[in-house]
Amino acid sequence: MAAKDKPFQNLLKTERIGSEDLRFYDLTALKDNRYEKLPFSIRVLLESAVRNCDGFQIQESDVQNILNWSENQDKSVEIPFKPARVILQDFTGVPAVVDFAAMRDAVEKLGGDPQKINPICPADLVIDHSVQVDVSRSSTALKKNQDLEFERNKERFIFLKWGAKAFKNMLIVPPGSGIVHQVNLEYLGRVVFNTDGLLYPDSLVGTDSHTTMINGLGIVAWGVGGIEAEAVMLGQAISMVLPKVVGYKITGQLNPLITSTDLVLTITKHLRQVGVVGKFVEFYGPGVSQLSIADRATISNMCPEYGATVGFFPVDDQSIEYLRQTGREEDKIRFVEKYLRANKMFRDYDNTDNDPEFSELVELDMNTVVPCCSGPKRPHDKVAVTDMKTDFMTCLNNKIGFKGFAIPSEKQTMTIPFVYDKQEYTLSHGSVVIAAITSCTNTSNPSVMLGAGLLAKNAVEAGLDVKPYIKTSLSPGSGVVTYYLRESGVIPYLDKLGFGIVGYGCMTCIGNSGPLEEPVAQAIDKGDLVACGVLSGNRNFEGRIHPLTRANYLASPPLVIAYALAGTVCFDFEKDSLGKNAEGKEIYLRDIWPTREQIHQVEQQFVIPSMFREVYSKIQKGTDRWMALDAPDSQLYPWDAKSTYIKSPPFFENMTKELPDMQGVKDAFVLLNLGDSVTTDHISPAGSISRTSPAARYLGNLGLTPREFNSYGSRRGNDDVMARGTFANIRLVNKLMDKPGPRTIHVPSNDQMDIYDAAQRYDSEGKQVIVLAGKEYGSGSSRDWAAKGPWILGIKAVIAESYERIHRSNLVGMGIIPLQYKSGETAQSLGLTGREAYTIDLNEDIKPGQLAVVKTNDGKTFEVIVRFDTDVELTYFRHGGILNYMIRKML
């Protein structure tokens, strides 16, 4: 690359660190006073822009825009960002590996070398979303759950194991190893990269919203959709709005009986009230230095719940010590600290001179934090433990909503008797039927995990137990947790209370909670009871944890055990006894609750570097079942035509070496006429597969029974299923129809049919299709199939009043034209019904943001803005999408 294309080469500095001469871009050499005023998180964005500035994807003006953050933060300025790596979990990672496999096929078909197709940017995929709590409270639970996981997911696992062997620069962590974000924190996180002697900050995007957990270790990261992740894997920059940065000052000290979970739930509610959606949050203040990295990671993990893009803790001395504690190599720790100090990215939380400029300031005194839970339906609805009983009863009374169940007063005290294992028990509103220590949010934190273990020990020694019908479980986020729980001697006590290890994965936190015992399920149904789940997770939205637990509360691991002992959330721990000991003395929670100091002493003794080194030295090996999987050794994947999980997608079937002519739209019919705020949840296939859907008919024709349909999430590697599930949301409002649902009109015949069937019919007739939409088209979480699915349906363009930023970019990435009505114009104002045929001309010399003319077959003509916003996007579109662009680049 010519020197003019790398305008910041003069900032490259070489420094002797240990036995190596290492280079890095010295941002202090910019000699710009604005740099030291930038929030630490923005400094990471700036370094990436400086290092990757090439005059195409990243311009000198982008560097200046970031440096001028103080002025630009209110102006919705878009900047490019090239993260250092990508992380994926298996549900979202399978489609990415499928696309890479299909790209290899395309390169070979076009005469190139398929082995050139590899992630350019390092990618790590952790298989953690597939295991369920089918079995619990049994010494064989772990083995049985892992066996069932392999039975259900064998096809997917064989494919991923092939990918682990076939692709360079991609690490695939086998099932049974842990949860992606905890593995990232304890093992994968670099903090600073050393690539061929060049140092730069670790940063990443991930295909899971809780990717932010790594922010606690001083690594800038957030969740994105599959198309953005694949773009980064292919060496491309992603576009983002230069964010405001909220400075969150932490002061004071936590009470000795308070956990980090209490703190994070307090912060989550506070920041929800402040309003931080689309913003970075950066923590500072003297209180931060009292928080361990695990505490900080717990706070960063719940960033999606308080709505920010990142929840960032810059690196400090605690971060360096954590790297040592988790067994990172000393020579790497040395260059991490040297580099960050040299570039003024190292933080002293006790030094106010170190404080940068922020967009706004918020403060929390940790002395005000009290023991709490969150629920019953949202993670930011914090409830003090002292108020839980009255709050739940109020929720029973309230009308249906986030804090209400509308239970008639005469039914609020009813009890339902049932027999389980030859004993009679009763259930009532508020009964706890699931108690799960789960999720990377808390299982990554030794203080709360050992706190739960010590509480279990004290409870057992006091003669307390948990009713046998309650579904209790412990699913650690890594093998390290098992190691220190075992070494500290608390596992027998956890087992005694039913909290035996059931698997290593997300499990209950993502709804993989498995079935309740049949007598319990029947009692809940019979009484229409508001039964409860209590879990140490990060989300508790209605219907997520289990269909039969209408109320679900997030809590610390020790509180999960406490509520399991109580058997109900209608319990006042100050006044109500948990039981009696052998001497007949009443036992209260305060009698068995360990202090932070007691927990800290055990942690200091048993959480040691050798544990991390031993566990992670075997991380790529996997279990015996993984090693026994027979995956192909070929560089090209041998697709199984009979597979209903993994299928070669059609994205490159008609691709040529030559760049195609610029294609507009000719005589296209409207497949869907949509209104405002159509989200990616409306567009992208998600959840269970309805028995009456096109996807169900497809699977049924292949001989599968409804019980074998599984979910759309598990079948993301099969485009035939996913295309049939696109726009299949039962709440989709299509103006061509008179009621919500996944149906549309085939305009030429006026026939009503499923959306997929209409798209197929148009295609068989040689007709193109488009979508009309209102404001904020594609809002919500970024989902790759919200763009891939429409492409397979044959949608050539979308005309909308406005777009969610990332979804618009994803449409371009798939070769779909995003068009926008001119200001003040809408489909309604232009008299469009959706029953017209549309022709849209695009000139060969089209420029970003140019106007295009739309003509309808009934004589209407109007102009729209072509939302290719950059030359890079226009280049992607000319190639038919970003993946096509990369294929031609590799030829």
Side-chain angles (χ1 to χ4, degrees):
M1 188 173 281
K4 65 181 176 62
D5 295 327
K6 299 287 285 183
F8 296 101
Q9 290 292 93
N10 62 307
L11 300 182
L12 265 178
K13 179 179 180 180
T14 301
E15 188 162 320
R16 189 80 174 173
I17 302 177
S19 59
E20 290 184 276
D21 289 324
L22 299 174
R23 297 167 297 125
F24 61 90
Y25 285 86
D26 181 6
L27 300 187
T28 64
L30 286 166
K31 306 293 184 188
D32 194 312
N33 291 333
R34 293 173 295 178
Y35 176 65
E36 291 188 39
K37 295 179 181 177
L38 292 176
F40 283 71
S41 51
I42 301 298
R43 297 179 200 187
V44 176
L45 303 185
L46 177 66
E47 190 283 337
S48 176
V50 164
R51 175 167 38 89
N52 293 297
C53 188
D54 59 1
F56 176 56
Q57 289 194 59
I58 299 175
Q59 313 273 351
E60 282 188 73
S61 59
D62 296 317
V63 173
Q64 288 304 318
N65 280 336
I66 300 171
L67 259 176
N68 202 31
W69 170 83
S70 183
E71 296 295 321
N72 287 335
Q73 58 175 303
D74 288 314
K75 298 178 180 176
S76 297
V77 172
E78 290 214 15
I79 59 164
F81 176 53
K82 290 186 84 169
R85 61 188 173 100
V86 175
I87 199 162
L88 313 105
Q89 37 92 335
D90 53 307
F91 261 29
T92 52
V94 165
V97 182
V98 166
D99 287 349
F100 271 74
M103 288 172 72
R104 281 197 168 180
D105 292 344
V107 167
E108 184 182 65
K109 181 180 174 184
L110 295 172
D113 179 3
Q115 293 192 55
K116 285 186 177 180
I117 295 292
N118 289 290
I120 295 168
C121 177
D124 304 306
L125 189 157
V126 180
I127 302 172
D128 66 353
H129 269 51
S130 302
V131 63
Q132 299 184 29
V133 191
D134 289 289
V135 182
S136 63
R137 302 189 81 145
S138 162
S139 60
T140 61
L142 175 61
K143 182 181 185 304
K144 287 181 177 178
N145 289 329
Q146 289 183 335
D147 286 348
L148 285 166
E149 177 188 18
F150 270 79
E151 287 174 23
R152 292 178 179 129
N153 296 280
K154 186 177 180 181
E155 284 183 48
R156 297 168 67 245
F157 288 175
I158 288 173
F159 174 69
L160 289 173
K161 191 170 183 181
W162 166 81
K165 293 190 286 186
F167 292 111
K168 300 172 185 174
N169 220 15
M170 178 185 282
L171 170 69
I172 294 183
V173 177
S177 303
I179 303 173
V180 57
H181 308 306
Q182 187 162 342
V183 174
N184 193 21
L185 183 71
E186 295 176 350
Y187 176 65
L188 297 172
R190 282 78 152 175
V191 184
V192 171
F193 263 80
N194 178 358
T195 302
D196 300 325
L198 179 67
L199 302 180
Y200 52 94
D202 188 2
S203 61
L204 64 140
V205 290
T207 56
D208 188 280
S209 57
H210 294 98
T211 298
T212 53
M213 183 170 181
I214 200 69
N215 296 165
L217 188 54
I219 298 172
V220 170
W222 62 87
V224 297
I227 292 175
E228 300 102 293
E230 288 180 44
V232 175
M233 290 166 72
L234 292 166
Q236 305 302 294
I238 56 173
S239 177
M240 62 181 292
V241 173
L242 191 62
K244 290 185 176 183
V245 182
V246 176
Y248 195 96
K249 187 175 184 179
I250 298 178
T251 61
Q253 280 187 312
L254 289 176
N255 178 290
L257 300 178
I258 299 298
T259 68
S260 58
T261 315
D262 301 321
L263 175 62
V264 71
L265 295 179
T266 301
I267 290 173
T268 299
K269 180 174 183 178
H270 187 198
L271 283 173
R272 268 287 170 184
Q273 293 170 332
V274 169
V276 292
V277 173
K279 301 174 185 178
F280 282 14
V281 172
E282 192 167 303
F283 295 91
Y284 76 109
V288 176
S289 56
Q290 299 176 42
L291 301 177
S292 69
I293 297 304
D295 291 341
R296 299 176 195 180
T298 300
I299 295 166
S300 296
N301 178 283
M302 288 194 69
C303 184
E305 282 65 54
Y306 47 80
T309 303
V310 303
F312 187 66
F313 290 85
V315 172
D316 70 340
D317 288 326
Q318 285 255 44
S319 316
I320 299 301
E321 283 309 305
Y322 180 81
L323 294 178
R324 288 196 176 95
Q325 183 192 35
T326 50
R328 265 73 163 207
E329 296 169 21
E330 198 61 40
D331 60 338
K332 292 182 179 177
I333 296 173
R334 189 180 300 115
F335 71 63
V336 166
E337 183 169 359
K338 280 257 190 181
Y339 168 81
L340 294 173
R341 287 189 182 278
N343 250 334
K344 296 190 181 296
M345 293 180 178
F346 197 90
R347 192 75 160 93
D348 179 354
Y349 288 100
D350 294 318
N351 181 2
T352 56
D353 293 339
N354 217 217
D355 294 348
E357 179 183 326
F358 292 115
S359 309
E360 57 185 295
L361 301 179
V362 184
E363 185 170 340
L364 175 73
D365 180 352
M366 290 194 290
N367 291 303
T368 64
V369 177
V370 298
C372 58
C373 301
S374 278
K377 302 180 186 182
R378 295 190 302 186
H380 56 277
D381 287 334
K382 186 190 75 160
V383 186
V385 169
T386 52
D387 298 332
M388 276 284 284
K389 185 174 183 178
T390 55
D391 186 82
F392 181 79
M393 295 308 296
T394 301
C395 288
L396 290 183
N397 270 316
N398 290 345
K399 65 181 182 181
I400 291 175
F402 294 123
K403 294 285 288 185
F405 297 102
I407 303 298
S409 57
E410 68 273 12
K411 294 186 177 180
Q412 290 178 14
T413 57
M414 71 184 301
T415 59
I416 303 295
F418 69 99
V419 175
Y420 175 73
D421 198 20
K422 300 179 181 179
Q423 291 266 353
E424 184 168 305
Y425 301 94
T426 60
L427 289 183
S428 57
H429 296 296
S431 289
V432 173
V433 295
I434 290 178
I437 299 175
T438 180
S439 171
C440 52
T441 310
N442 284 291
T443 67
S444 61
N445 194 329
S447 69
V448 292
M449 295 302 289
L450 287 167
L454 292 174
L455 180 71
K457 179 176 184 291
N458 295 341
V460 170
E461 290 175 347
L464 302 177
D465 61 9
V466 173
K467 293 181 176 67
Y469 62 81
I470 297 176
K471 187 159 193 178
T472 49
S473 61
L474 167 58
S475 50
S478 84
V480 175
V481 179
T482 307
Y483 207 139
Y484 66 67
L485 291 177
R486 184 177 63 239
E487 292 299 305
S488 62
V490 298
I491 277 189
Y493 302 100
L494 288 164
D495 283 339
K496 178 83 171 167
L497 295 182
F499 289 91
I501 292 171
V502 295
Y504 296 91
C506 299
M507 303 191 87
T508 301
C509 185
I510 60 166
N512 288 357
S513 51
L516 296 177
E517 295 291 350
E518 192 56 35
V520 176
Q522 289 174 357
I524 294 170
D525 279 338
K526 182 179 179 181
D528 191 25
L529 297 177
V530 181
C532 296
V534 183
L535 65 150
S536 63
N538 48 41
R539 285 188 174 166
N540 56 341
F541 301 122
E542 196 168 11
R544 177 184 174 94
I545 304 306
H546 192 283
L548 292 175
T549 57
R550 288 157 67 185
N552 295 282
Y553 290 92
L554 306 182
S556 67
L559 272 177
V560 171
I561 292 178
Y563 277 108
L565 291 166
T568 176
V569 298
C570 294
F571 199 88
D572 185 335
F573 286 115
E574 289 297 311
K575 299 176 182 176
D576 298 339
S577 164
L578 291 167
K580 295 180 180 180
N581 65 11
E583 288 75 43
K585 179 188 173 187
E586 301 282 0
I587 302 297
Y588 295 87
L589 184 59
R590 58 181 172 269
D591 300 323
I592 58 174
W593 191 271
T595 66
R596 284 176 73 86
E597 180 56 35
Q598 291 168 335
I599 295 166
H600 181 69
Q601 289 176 5
V602 177
E603 183 178 350
Q604 288 291 100
Q605 184 177 353
F606 293 106
V607 183
I608 54 178
S610 59
M611 289 182 178
F612 293 87
R613 281 193 287 265
E614 181 176 339
V615 168
Y616 284 110
S617 67
K618 309 167 190 170
I619 191 74
Q620 296 180 58
K621 183 180 176 183
T623 62
D624 291 341
R625 291 203 65 152
W626 175 262
M627 288 190 288
L629 280 181
D630 187 17
D633 291 315
S634 54
Q635 289 301 311
L636 299 178
Y637 186 69
W639 306 97
D640 179 358
K642 296 178 182 177
S643 174
T644 59
Y645 282 94
I646 304 295
K647 180 179 173 292
S648 180
F651 306 139
F652 319 117
E653 283 179 357
N654 300 314
M655 188 176 170
T656 60
K657 275 187 180 182
E658 299 74 28
L659 204 60
D661 294 333
M662 177 65 75
Q663 296 286 324
V665 176
K666 185 169 176 58
D667 296 329
F669 286 99
V670 174
L671 183 64
L672 293 158
N673 184 8
L674 305 171
D676 295 341
S677 300
V678 171
T679 71
T680 51
D681 286 333
H682 290 108
I683 307 168
S684 181
S688 59
I689 297 172
S690 167
R691 295 188 180 197
T692 61
S693 66
R697 292 198 295 273
Y698 166 76
L699 293 171
N701 289 338
L702 294 175
L704 275 70
T705 64
R707 190 176 59 83
E708 298 170 306
F709 287 171
N710 214 326
S711 64
Y712 282 113
S714 68
R715 296 189 182 275
R716 285 179 181 175
N718 185 322
D719 63 271
D720 276 332
V721 173
M722 298 302 280
R724 287 166 169 82
T726 301
F727 292 110
N729 191 301
I730 59 172
R731 293 178 178 83
L732 182 74
V733 177
N734 176 12
K735 295 179 183 179
L736 294 175
M737 303 296 297
D738 56 8
K739 63 180 181 180
R743 304 271 291 174
T744 195
I745 297 285
H746 175 258
V747 174
S749 66
N750 206 38
D751 290 342
Q752 293 187 16
M753 57 185 68
D754 288 327
I755 292 166
Y756 175 81
D757 295 335
Q760 289 293 100
R761 187 160 168 184
Y762 281 123
D763 183 62
S764 68
E765 295 167 349
K767 300 294 185 184
Q768 296 181 336
V769 292
I770 65 170
V771 169
L772 302 182
K775 298 181 182 70
E776 299 175 346
Y777 181 72
S779 55
S781 299
S782 176
R783 301 185 190 279
D784 55 340
W785 276 103
K788 289 176 177 177
W791 184 91
I792 295 175
L793 293 182
I795 293 168
K796 301 298 181 185
V798 178
I799 309 177
E801 292 176 51
S802 64
Y803 292 88
E804 193 280 332
R805 184 179 57 83
I806 293 175
H807 184 65
R808 182 203 59 78
S809 176
N810 285 349
L811 291 175
V812 176
M814 285 306 300
I816 296 173
I817 310 166
L819 303 168
Q820 188 166 316
Y821 297 109
K822 292 165 70 175
S823 179
E825 294 185 346
T826 65
Q828 185 175 1
S829 72
L830 293 167
L832 306 176
T833 65
R835 290 179 175 270
E836 308 87 352
Y838 291 72
T839 295
I840 306 158
D841 292 323
L842 292 184
N843 300 322
E844 277 292 337
D845 59 351
I846 190 170
K847 299 290 190 297
Q850 189 173 311
L851 294 175
V853 175
V854 181
K855 296 178 181 177
T856 65
N857 62 343
D858 61 357
K860 297 185 183 75
T861 300
F862 57 97
E863 289 184 322
V864 291
I865 305 162
V866 183
R867 289 295 311 275
F868 302 136
D869 290 356
T870 64
D871 288 324
V872 176
E873 288 188 343
L874 194 49
T875 299
Y876 293 161
F877 177 75
R878 287 182 182 277
H879 281 267
I882 185 172
L883 302 182
N884 309 61
Y885 165 76
M886 291 306 300
I887 287 171
R888 289 194 180 94
K889 200 174 176 184
M890 295 294 176
L891 295 175

